[in-house]
Amino acid sequence: MEMDDLPKGELPPHLELQRTRVVCAADAPSYTESVQYSGAYMAYDVDNSLRMEDFRKNFRVEIKSLNEDDIEFDLIGIDAALANAFRRILIAEVPTVAIEKVYIANNTSVIQDEVLAHRLGLVPIKADPRLFDYKTDEEIANEKNTIVFKLDVECTHMGERVKNASDQLKWLPAGSEMPPDSKTKFTSFGCSQDSLPAFTSEAIASRYPDIVLAKLRPGQAIEIEAHAVKGIGKTHAKWSPVATAKYRMLPEVVLLEDIEGDLADELVRTCPVNVFDIEDMGPGERRATVARPRDCTLCRECVRGDGWDKRVQLRRVKEHFIFSIESTGALPPEVLFTESIKILTEKCQRILTELL
Amino acid sequence: MKKKKVKKKIIDNVNNRQQTHQPLCIREMEFPIKSTVDKYQLLPAFLKVRGLVKQHIDSFNYFINCEIKKIIHATGNEKVTSDVDPNFYLKYLDIFVGEPCVEQDYIYEPITPHQCRLRDMTYAAPISVDVEYTRGREIVVRRGKEGKQEGALVIGRMPLMLRSCRCVLSGKNEAQLAKAGECPLDPGGYFVVKGTEKVILIQEQLSKNRIIIDTDSSGNVAASVTSSTHERKSKTNIIVKHERIFLRHNTFSDDVPIVVVLKAMGMESDQEIVQMVGRDPKYAGILAPSLQECSALGIHTQQQALEYLGVKKLLSCLYTGLLGVLQVDEARDILATVVLAHVPVHQFEFRPKCIYIAVIIRKMLEAMLNTDAVDDKDYVGNKRLELAGQLLALLFEDLFKRMNGELKKSVDMTLAKANRSTQFDIAKCIRPDFLSNGLEHAISSGNWTVKRFKMDRKGVTQVVSRLSFIAALGHMTRITSQFEKTRKVSGPRALQPSQWGMLCPCDTPEGEACGLVKNLALMTHVTTDEEEGPLIALCTTLGVEDLSMLSGEELHSQHTYIVFFNGIILGVHRRPQRFAETLRKLRRAGKIGEFVSIHVNPGQHSIHIASDGGRVCRPLVIADNGVSRIKEHHMKELKDGFRTFDDFLREGLVEYLDVNEENNSLIALYEADATPATTHIEIEPFTILGVCAGLIPYPHHNQSPRNTYQCAMGKQAMGNIAYNQLHRIDTLLYLLVYPQRPLLTTKTIELVGYDKLGAGQNATVAVMSYSGYDIEDAIVMNKASLDRGFGRCIVLKKSVTALKKYNNRTADRIVAPDMNTSAKGGVQVAPRHQIQDRDGIAAVGEMIRPGDIYINKQSPINTRDNVMNPQAMPDSAYKRTPQTYKGPPGECAVVDKVLLTSNDENHFIVKCLIRHTRRPEVGDKFSSRHGQKGVCGTIVQQEDFPFSERGICPDLIMNPHGFPSRMTVGKMIELLGGKAGVMSGRFHYGSAFGEPSGHADTVSAISETLVNHGFSYSGKDFIYSGITGYPLQAYIFMGPVYYQKLKHMVLDKMHARARGPRVVLTRQPTEGRSREGGLRLGEMERDCLIAYGASMMILERLMISSDQFQIQVCTKCGMMGYYNHKLKIALCTYCKSGENMATMKLPYACKLLFQELQSMNILPRLQLSEA
């Protein structure tokens, strides 16, 4: 069938909108998924297949902010499946080091042994996991797979109540000192860890010094040794290197018609995050403009009232992700992301080798 | 429009008055307070003086300080005399309950309740009496000094209620309580008996000494009065039979005509009777048949009537054999003291009793003419609550009487002996054990038996539930009814409108006890008895005309009201409203007790004054012409600490009303609703709920049964039990590792201290469907949340080992752990003994696995015969009786605490507390605070969980299908409020009915907060799927909800068995999880298999896998033989031959049955045929 009035090689605007945008109406979002099938728009003579060169051409990464713990960057020209893969890997598969075994010599505090051990496990440790090996149950702890900490605190009888924070966790680079009366310790280190070039500059410690582990009353004491090993977030959340890794699609706010006068004021007023601005169009004439669409949190206030859904449309750009990573501190966030890419490539490689 | 006008008028009135009388500056202060928010402060003030369980403590204090003294001074109790020696007497002068202490090696040491809990002792104080008695010829007085027990005679030990006036904890501050090992938030009000905490439940029963008009099963009107005095309890019924009125009483063998009774009491003239009841022809007409019957019986004089009654009475053992005149006397005596025993009869002056009966009859006649006059038995005003004090008083009096009886017996025994070597001293005969054991046993078993009153109640006490703080608190406010649980009547179970404000409408169990077990509301108080004498005198001075002066005519004239005082007719009054008002004024001025109730009943032309104990009442703000008496400045003074709740009471701003008096008042919920007719204003509307229902946020938005479910579930939630929870050694203790206070609180939560001892966690909940493992209310949980400590709990289990001492002076012992010599010759601790210290008891902090021995105990083999040297018996004289840990297989627990102590019988006991920390698993039960329970359906990795644009990942996912049918709108508002609370950093409130008074945040205000923080007003967020990465095609309702972890956990319940133990008798598999039993293939399942035709399956299930047994059967005689292994042949013992023997298989139980039948001379014969 010939349809002459339709231009060849491009989609009609409503389909283009459906393909590239999520429309967030007041009641529900629609067109949330992307169309995967390469021949989906064959009728319009549009090729929907994913091509490497297109991807190379379109794909961009823009870092918006970066500091010690957080990063926010835009991933442009990528499908949600891929972005999500990075997010999932960051949460569950990038390894870190966390305390796994706690040897308790003495604990007279109110906090129970298991609970104390659980709390210790969740303390983020600033140690580069790439320098360590995974430790299996059968393996003997050595300097390559175990970091040993000691916590030996006491609240003296005359003293006040003391808080026991994570900075009192002392690193034992030479390995375990337990059991005290035996020659064979729990670890067998070949050399002291602080002789290794990576750790000479900075001692391994908790990322934050002020995490409360326990509180001691006069006369109470804790004497423990904690062994940290490498692991991944899938086994336990304590190994997750991120507080969270998340993304959101780029917000796009469209004014479907010109909004002027009092309506414009109303629009500006309703938005709690100040997405809109007022543009002066000469004496007494005001027009609303979309100034900061990126700030939109999708509270849908602007499309809530009567008739407002005809004036404003909230959208999300499908292939544009605002990705943010909050690191727990073991690795800087940008390194975490590159690590996640490495893990994904590794996985792809594995599939490829197994397929061939 | 109309309403507005009225309101304006009131304000005008106020203004006018102020303008004329007061200077300007005070005018503002005098202005009525506008919003109820300010009045809320009264509640904490009230709870400060009254406390949450004040009713228990007040009642117990009253018993210990007053009632107990009344008991010993009561006639019949005060003196012990002897039949043998008329000169002998023992007189009780005074009684005193001392300080709690324990005798140890003849030294009295003070004790704390916590010591008693740990050491399995009873928290009790000595009861000492001052006595005067004769020793030989001299009169001895033993008197304690200023209430101290020295010098006085100890007659027993009284278990003490915690926080009562004699308890060491009363009046202590938080630091002192902590020193005593006690939690400051613990309400007290219970007893510690033999180490267990016992609460005496509040018992609900019908009012004593009140006339209750009811209809019997045949629809006739009947009146019943349960008389109760110290000496006697009796029930009198006046019934209508064949249109005639009879008196029914269990001292008479038959129903006796009421007119005969009246005549026997000296009301000989029929005219007088009719006048007493009421001259109105409508009454006289109904009364006529009764009068006729009396004359038909030929009874005209008092003597005749008494003779008639003398015949009718049941033979009592006292007067058997005596006839004639005595029978008349006896009948008179019965009428005076037994029938309607509470109406006092002095020297056979029957007139008050006659009038009382006449009034009953009049009420009955009224009820016959007008069915509205029938009393409602379920009406709360007709109910009395019996508290610990009253119950203990009953028990104590009974025990005291019995003790005196025993004493008298022993006195008679000793004095009857002619020549005694020593002077008889009765003080040495008193055995304090009798009282102590009686009281202790009653409280610990809950069986209340008072033979005198034919009282035999079971389950009066319960072990205080320490599952959670709220469970314990809720236990103190519980009320049980004496009503039978099995009866199918709705009346007593239904919610009574008169329960308003007194009893919680939500908190009742489901099932058989539904509506019979109730709970007190937050501000309810239960009264204790009050002195009657002064009140009666006051009534007389206020113009109550004495009965003896009145004729029947005057009694029922149009304008006179009969004045009842605690059920007894005092007289009449001609200006009832004025009388009532004066009395109320006196009460508000503090001249008479604050709990005296004055109730005018215009319909029955009566005024009821009540000062008896057990009435429920609650405080209300007094209003004049609809204007509250509490002004702004009062509340300010309260806030600044210049005022207490008692000041409000003393100044007549607030007063207590009981249910009956509430009927004389018009109570407005808020000031705004008050009209000039309003007499009182509620303090806070949410006080109609009790403690448990008070935890629910926005309960007024929920479907009502949901609140009831939550009331039951709140008691099963794990959390904090008390501040001293880690010092307690309870049989079972559930604790949450990281309990939180709810983000959405209520005022009740703050008042009861739930914010300090919470039982739950604020979980971020997404309401959506996920994975299919969320059907039927199951919830999906985030694994990372569980990793980080959500829902983690600690289960502590106690095990007690007592080292028994045997009669032959041998005793159990604990020895060092067993040693094994290894192959190399070294000595090692045996594998299952490794957790023990060198003393043979498990070391604290050791990990303990099922099968480990934590106390290496040994018992002597011979515990009967005398042993030469019990201390130095050889090891061979002992057998091992170790304590082995039995826990869930594969799990590893920790020894938390070991306590070595001795109880008050000087038995050495070892208490071990074993701790098990659990993280939630599939099948564990959780619930929100809205009766929405669900089990964990699946646990999902965090990366698979949906996340919001802000990166928020829910802790759990709940299926939206839980909402439409349950209609728990409150939960939705809780979610919204919690979300707003998180964002704004302020705890939001959701008190019941709190929106108008500002104790609950409105949805619109919450929505506004949400919008200001960039959320949708509806609480629905834009969510991305964690699996695909695409946004979901719906906005998801997501936010924090307070979730409780309930005590039902899979680990305690899961059970499966392939092979296992069998019962010795039947050889069938054991039953029940605790015995590792099999899963029964029952009758119905068997029916299914039969219907299906799976015969081999039946055979396999019912015999082969169960108790298959092979027997030898003699085909000749059909009896069972045996197999002789020596001869290797089967033999029949009956036929004495091995021929004709056959082998067959049958269930062992079947073989057992045959043998049992044989043992009772029934011979089953097996006739075999070829198969």
Side-chain angles (χ1 to χ4, degrees), chain B residues 49-300:
Chain B
V49 284
R50 297 241 73 97
L52 280 166
V53 295
K54 200 65 180 176
Q55 53 278 4
H56 279 290
I57 295 169
D58 270 1
S59 155
F60 186 75
N61 284 350
Y62 178 79
F63 163 59
I64 266 186
N65 294 326
C66 310
E67 184 97 38
I68 200 167
K69 295 206 160 99
K70 280 187 193 157
I71 288 171
I72 61 150
H73 290 309
T75 44
N77 292 347
E78 197 172 20
K79 251 184 173 180
V80 179
T81 51
S82 167
D83 296 340
V84 182
D85 182 359
N87 286 326
F88 176 84
Y89 75 93
L90 166 86
K91 192 177 166 198
Y92 295 103
L93 302 172
D94 202 358
I95 188 162
F96 185 80
V97 178
E99 303 285 318
C101 62
V102 65
E103 192 202 316
Q104 238 166 1
D105 305 330
Y106 304 102
I107 301 165
Y108 283 95
E109 266 181 41
I111 41 165
T112 62
H114 199 62
Q115 281 177 339
C116 296
R117 277 182 210 129
L118 292 178
R119 290 183 55 192
D120 290 354
M121 293 191 304
T122 302
Y123 184 60
I127 313 164
S128 47
V129 284
D130 292 350
V131 285
E132 187 185 295
Y133 63 94
T134 56
R135 182 165 62 198
R137 292 228 170 135
E138 60 180 324
I139 292 173
V140 186
V141 180
R142 289 187 63 175
R143 202 186 278 276
K145 280 177 215 126
E146 290 152 17
K148 290 271 153 54
Q149 61 184 63
E150 282 112 276
L153 213 55
V154 175
I155 55 167
R157 286 162 60 75
M158 168 74 63
L160 279 189
M161 180 180 278
L162 270 78
R163 311 264 168 145
S164 66
C165 59
R166 290 296 140 72
C167 175
V168 290
L169 306 175
S170 73
K172 292 272 165 73
N173 63 23
E174 207 159 310
Q176 287 168 318
L177 286 172
K179 206 161 223 172
E182 203 64 31
C183 174
L185 292 173
D186 186 74
Y190 54 91
F191 300 87
V192 179
V193 177
K194 290 177 191 159
T196 47
E197 297 164 318
K198 289 276 184 174
V199 59
I200 300 182
L201 292 182
I202 307 173
Q203 310 277 318
E204 177 195 298
Q205 47 191 228
L206 221 52
S207 272
K208 298 277 162 63
N209 301 348
R210 299 297 141 102
I211 305 161
I212 287 175
I213 312 288
D214 204 7
T215 46
D216 58 17
S217 50
S218 51
N220 285 327
V221 173
S224 68
V225 182
T226 320
S227 311
S228 164
T229 58
H230 260 299
E231 286 78 38
R232 195 160 265 121
K233 278 190 172 50
S234 78
K235 190 164 186 182
T236 312
N237 292 297
I238 297 182
I239 54 156
V240 177
K241 215 160 65 179
H242 312 301
E243 296 180 341
R244 280 164 298 181
I245 304 173
F246 292 91
L247 178 121
R248 180 181 285 170
H249 196 278
N250 59 7
T251 47
F252 295 116
S253 57
D254 204 357
D255 298 342
V256 282
I258 195 74
V259 179
V260 176
V261 176
L262 283 172
K263 290 206 166 158
M265 290 194 198
M267 213 183 256
E268 288 178 332
S269 143
D270 284 356
Q271 187 193 354
E272 202 184 353
I273 294 174
V274 173
Q275 272 186 334
M276 271 296 174
V277 174
R279 210 167 39 113
D280 197 315
K282 61 183 178 187
Y283 296 135
I286 309 175
L287 208 59
S290 307
L291 291 167
Q292 271 168 6
E293 192 193 16
C294 183
S295 60
L297 286 168
I299 296 167
H300 301 289

Side-chain angles (χ1 to χ4, degrees), chain A residues 34 88 114 118 237 247 297 316, chain B residues 915 917 944 949 1014 1029-1030:
Chain A
S34 60
R88 292 168 61 89
E114 313 90 272
H118 173 235
Y247 59 77
T297 56
R316 300 276 127 148
Chain B
R915 153 164 47 96
T917 308
D944 289 336
E949 290 226 300
Y1030 293 109

Side-chain angles (χ1 to χ4, degrees), chain A residues 24-25 27 32 34 36 79 84 87-88 92 114 118-119 234-235 237 247 249 272 297-300 316, chain B residues 738 783 787 915 917 941 943-944 947 949 1011 1014-1015 1017 1020 1022 1024 1026-1027 1029-1033 1035:
Chain A
C24 304
D27 55 346
T32 56
S34 60
Q36 303 289 341
D79 191 71
N84 193 36
R87 186 190 69 88
R88 292 168 61 89
E114 313 90 272
H118 173 235
R119 291 179 74 85
K234 203 168 247 173
T235 33
Y247 59 77
M249 290 173 176
T297 56
L298 212 57
C299 65
R300 282 109 66 200
R316 300 276 127 148
Chain B
Y738 296 109
K783 179 172 169 289
D787 286 345
R915 153 164 47 96
T917 308
Q941 293 282 347
E943 63 268 24
D944 289 336
F947 61 98
E949 290 226 300
V1011 167
F1015 283 101
Y1017 75 101
K1020 294 202 264 182
F1022 187 64
Y1024 294 87
I1027 301 170
Y1030 293 109
L1032 299 182
Q1033 285 186 348
Y1035 297 118

Side-chain angles (χ1 to χ4, degrees), chain B residues 517-576:
Chain B
V517 172
K518 302 184 201 69
N519 277 273
L520 291 177
L522 206 60
M523 285 190 108
T524 317
H525 181 76
V526 183
T527 60
T528 51
D529 283 322
E530 224 156 310
E531 203 63 55
E532 294 184 352
L535 279 169
I536 294 173
L538 181 74
C539 290
T540 332
T541 38
L542 286 178
V544 174
E545 293 168 59
D546 197 61
L547 269 189
S548 50
M549 320 265 213
L550 297 168
S551 71
E553 203 65 12
E554 285 165 302
L555 202 64
H556 298 299
S557 79
Q558 185 108 63
H559 298 292
T560 50
Y561 274 50
I562 302 173
V563 180
F564 285 87
F565 180 82
N566 285 346
I568 304 166
I569 301 171
L570 272 192
V572 296
H573 203 285
R574 284 168 211 274
R575 299 178 70 185

Side-chain angles (χ1 to χ4, degrees), chain B residues 456-521:
Chain B
D456 188 22
R457 287 192 211 157
K458 296 216 156 58
V460 175
T461 62
Q462 283 181 355
V463 180
V464 177
S465 152
R466 286 286 180 185
L467 221 50
S468 70
F469 173 61
I470 285 302
L473 206 55
H475 221 154
M476 302 294 148
T477 59
R478 195 153 310 155
I479 303 165
T480 58
S481 158
Q482 291 296 283
F483 207 78
E484 245 182 280
K485 282 179 183 166
T486 44
R487 293 256 303 267
K488 272 188 187 162
V489 273
S490 61
R493 295 171 186 269
L495 186 65
Q496 260 278 326
S498 53
Q499 282 184 17
W500 171 280
M502 305 288 179
L503 306 174
C504 181
C506 296
D507 199 357
T508 180
E510 301 159 58
E512 60 166 10
C514 184
L516 299 177
V517 172
K518 302 184 201 69
N519 277 273
L520 291 177

Side-chain angles (χ1 to χ4, degrees), chain A residues 188-239:
Chain A
S188 62
F189 277 17
C191 63
S192 179
Q193 279 170 335
D194 53 5
S195 65
L196 297 171
F199 303 120
T200 42
S201 56
E202 202 184 347
I204 300 176
S206 163
R207 169 66 180 76
Y208 301 95
D210 53 352
I211 302 169
V212 178
L213 298 174
K215 289 180 182 175
L216 299 183
R217 292 276 295 160
Q220 295 178 343
I222 295 176
E223 189 191 343
I224 56 171
E225 198 174 85
H227 291 200
V229 296
K230 190 174 165 181
I232 57 168
K234 203 168 247 173
T235 33
H236 195 283
K238 68 185 172 185
W239 279 302

Side-chain angles (χ1 to χ4, degrees), chain B residues 703-718:
Chain B
Q703 189 201 11
S704 84
R706 291 291 139 193
N707 292 338
T708 305
Y709 297 153
Q710 164 57 24
C711 286
M713 263 184 305
K715 292 164 192 158
Q716 304 176 12
M718 280 188 258

